[in-house]
Amino acid sequence: MKQRMVYGMTYKILMCLIFGAFIVAASLPIVFLIIYFNKSFLLSILFAFFYSIFNWGILGTVGTSISTAKIRFLNSFPVICVMNWLSGSMMDHLQKDNLLPEAYLIVPTTSHTILIVAITVILSLWLIIRFYKKWTR
């Protein structure tokens, strides 16, 4: 069995940690919905399931037709923005021989990604704390 070298291990570990933190932050809106509708476990599970299916479904439409307006709209969703940003970062560190120039159109900038994630975190945490305090009184 031939052993293969893994290059850029530090970069890959760092990107995994950043990606994990960003995906947790991008998932906070569903946490808010679960707290808001805390009356039923079934409803919470359905929200989480449909949120993940919704995001993966949207990611599937990215490759069908690329327009600037569609890309801007899709990159306003936190999970989509984080996934596209990570893909772009990985494309910059891997071989680029077989990629079309259009592949780079979907990649948001790092500042755009951080802004979307920050807005999501601030808004979600504010709503979570607000409703949780209201119900625990």
Side-chain angles (χ1 to χ4, degrees), residues 92-113:
D92 285 342
H93 287 86
L94 299 173
Q95 73 180 30
K96 303 174 191 176
D97 298 341
N98 299 325
L99 295 176
L100 296 172
E102 292 85 16
Y104 291 96
L105 294 177
I106 65 169
V107 179
T109 62
T110 301
S111 58
H112 174 82
T113 304

Side-chain angles (χ1 to χ4, degrees), residues 14-94:
L14 180 66
M15 287 309 293
C16 286
L17 294 173
I18 291 170
F19 178 68
F22 278 10
I23 285 295
V24 167
S27 300
L28 283 177
I30 198 65
V31 173
F32 162 70
L33 289 175
I34 289 170
I35 288 174
Y36 185 76
F37 294 104
N38 67 351
K39 297 173 182 83
S40 167
F41 286 111
L42 180 61
L43 193 59
S44 300
I45 292 168
L46 286 173
F47 274 136
F49 177 74
F50 285 119
Y51 185 72
S52 62
I53 295 298
F54 172 74
N55 283 303
W56 285 110
I58 287 178
L59 277 174
T61 67
V62 170
T64 58
S65 66
I66 297 177
S67 69
T68 306
K70 182 179 180 180
I71 291 167
R72 285 189 185 134
F73 175 71
L74 292 178
N75 280 334
S76 65
F77 292 100
V79 173
I80 308 299
C81 184
V82 169
M83 295 291 285
N84 287 340
W85 173 77
L86 180 70
S87 297
S89 180
M90 290 294 183
M91 285 189 301
D92 285 342
H93 287 86
L94 299 173

